[in-house]
Amino acid sequence: MTELMRQEHHHGMELQTLRWFLTLCDTENMRDTAAMEGINQSTLSRALARLEADLGVELFHRHGRRLAVNRFGLLFREHAARAVDELRGARRRIDALANPDTGLIRLGFLHSVGRWLVPEILRDLRAVTPGIRFELHQGFARELFTWLAQGDIDAALVTPPPEGNAARWHPLREQRLCLALPVEHPLAAAPGLTLADVRDEPFVAFAPTTDLRRVIDRLCEEAGFEPVIAFESEEIATVRGLIGAGLGVGVLPLPASLEHDDPAYLPLVPAQHRPIGLAWDPLPTPTAAAALFVEHLVTGARLSEPLSLRPPAAADGGKRPGRPPGSGCGRPAGS
């Protein structure tokens, strides 16, 4: 650390002192500067004395009551002006980010909600605050809660936090869990199919590190068997694609809208749901934009109807109409 840096750290070269110095350079008059800045002359004189002591040089020639900027003052004036401009720019950028109407919200979300819940929430908030901006981060539950704790995101659309986690969580939706089979599978049209009925089938499963894998392992254990895993993937789209291609069966959340190559979805019996909600860390002070976002989803403020009750919009372009993830399973077996 240089001597100047040590002096600045000790004395605290304040922004307002730099502003006063720049005004004094313009007026070269203590009385006029004090009047323009709304301070008394003694305060200005002491601030200038501290600044010159910090720098170790005089910044003005003194001719009685008149001042004239000397060569050190001219040099320091150039840098002080840049510093004040930079700090003002930083303030403007911070204000823009924190402003509830134009700020930035760093939102994390699970892979499985990226195609239905995330677009709906962004659309709803942008409808009432069109200037708001989002920075989106997709991840697994364990990653999302880590990012929240580290302050890397402001909020997350995720399953409930693990025990002992400090994050707050508010429920928004429930995803219906369904038994997923290839459309042409002989059991796809069987009424009242249970998980135990496919115990001898190869399973396409989520990776052991995922939240859904732990849920599915528990369901299979409760059904009295350990599945034979043929394929594993962390990506829900990959699991859906492999089952749809006839490479095994599995358990999947019901998607909001169905694709032409999706598997058949049959409701688990008894019914099983996966809660999805909004998580946020209450400890750091949130920006105004982040606080407004949490308020929108937790209290439903200024939303036209409760988010948890609104069904997703029907898909178009030849796709089958979507259903809310908690309203039963989608494609009729064998269709």
Side-chain angles (χ1 to χ4, degrees):
M1 183 182 289
T2 66
E3 180 63 27
L4 177 58
M5 292 172 65
R6 278 193 294 269
Q7 290 174 347
E8 289 178 6
H9 177 74
H10 176 70
H11 294 287
M13 193 177 292
E14 297 178 353
L15 176 61
Q16 75 172 7
T17 300
L18 296 181
R19 290 202 310 265
W20 294 346
F21 164 74
L22 292 173
T23 303
L24 190 57
C25 289
D26 292 335
T27 66
E28 295 188 333
N29 185 288
M30 295 286 285
R31 183 182 62 187
D32 292 347
T33 298
M36 292 173 65
E37 295 293 340
I39 56 176
N40 57 52
Q41 284 186 239
S42 60
T43 299
L44 177 61
S45 179
R46 289 194 298 269
L48 178 60
R50 286 195 302 269
L51 180 59
E52 291 180 326
D54 286 342
L55 296 172
V57 295
E58 290 187 347
L59 300 173
F60 296 89
H61 295 299
R62 270 83 170 172
H63 304 288
R65 294 183 177 181
R66 189 172 65 84
L67 301 177
V69 184
N70 64 21
R71 61 191 181 100
F72 297 117
L74 291 173
L75 176 63
F76 188 68
R77 179 184 190 177
E78 177 185 344
H79 290 274
R82 284 205 301 267
V84 170
D85 286 343
E86 284 292 323
L87 290 170
R88 284 173 176 164
R91 168 64 68 182
R92 286 192 297 269
R93 292 182 64 184
I94 289 172
D95 289 344
L97 288 175
N99 188 304
D101 294 323
T102 61
L104 176 70
I105 298 167
R106 301 167 303 163
L107 178 65
F109 60 94
L110 294 171
H111 298 258
S112 61
V113 305
R115 294 178 58 190
W116 58 281
L117 187 56
V118 173
E120 180 179 335
I121 286 175
L122 267 57
R123 180 197 64 209
D124 285 350
L125 193 63
R126 290 291 294 271
V128 293
T129 53
I132 207 74
R133 293 178 295 122
F134 284 89
E135 181 182 287
L136 301 178
H137 302 266
Q138 182 173 266
F140 301 105
R142 66 181 184 279
E143 295 174 324
L144 295 173
F145 284 112
T146 297
W147 296 340
L148 274 177
Q150 293 175 346
D152 296 327
I153 57 177
D154 300 308
L157 299 170
V158 66
T159 49
E163 186 176 353
N165 190 284
R168 300 281 301 277
W169 186 85
H170 178 78
L172 296 175
R173 289 287 187 87
E174 285 188 335
Q175 286 183 302
R176 182 74 178 268
L177 295 182
C178 293
L179 185 59
L181 295 88
V183 172
E184 304 302 327
H185 193 285
L187 295 176
L193 195 68
T194 68
L195 198 54
D197 292 329
V198 295
R199 63 188 306 155
D200 297 325
E201 299 286 335
F203 269 70
V204 181
F206 293 95
T209 54
T210 62
D211 173 63
L212 268 173
R213 175 61 178 271
R214 290 189 289 272
V215 172
I216 294 166
D217 284 349
R218 174 181 58 79
L219 293 175
C220 291
E221 182 180 358
E222 292 173 355
F225 72 98
E226 182 177 345
V228 176
I229 307 298
F231 300 95
E232 288 181 344
S233 175
E234 291 187 332
E235 298 288 341
I236 194 167
T238 302
V239 174
R240 288 169 63 178
L242 292 174
I243 296 174
L247 297 175
V249 303
V251 176
L252 287 170
L254 176 67
S257 60
L258 299 176
E259 303 290 344
H260 71 279
D261 57 351
D262 263 346
Y265 291 91
L266 300 157
L268 285 175
V269 179
Q272 300 288 336
H273 295 87
R274 181 190 189 212
I276 302 293
L278 180 72
W280 70 97
D281 190 340
L283 296 181
T285 301
T287 65
L292 179 64
F293 176 70
V294 171
E295 179 187 357
H296 267 273
L297 296 188
V298 172
T299 69
R302 294 157 64 186
L303 291 179
S304 59
E305 55 181 303
L307 180 68
S308 59
L309 300 181
R310 187 186 298 113
D316 55 15
K319 296 180 183 178
R320 291 174 176 84
R323 296 172 181 237
S327 65
C329 287
R331 174 181 294 167
S335 64

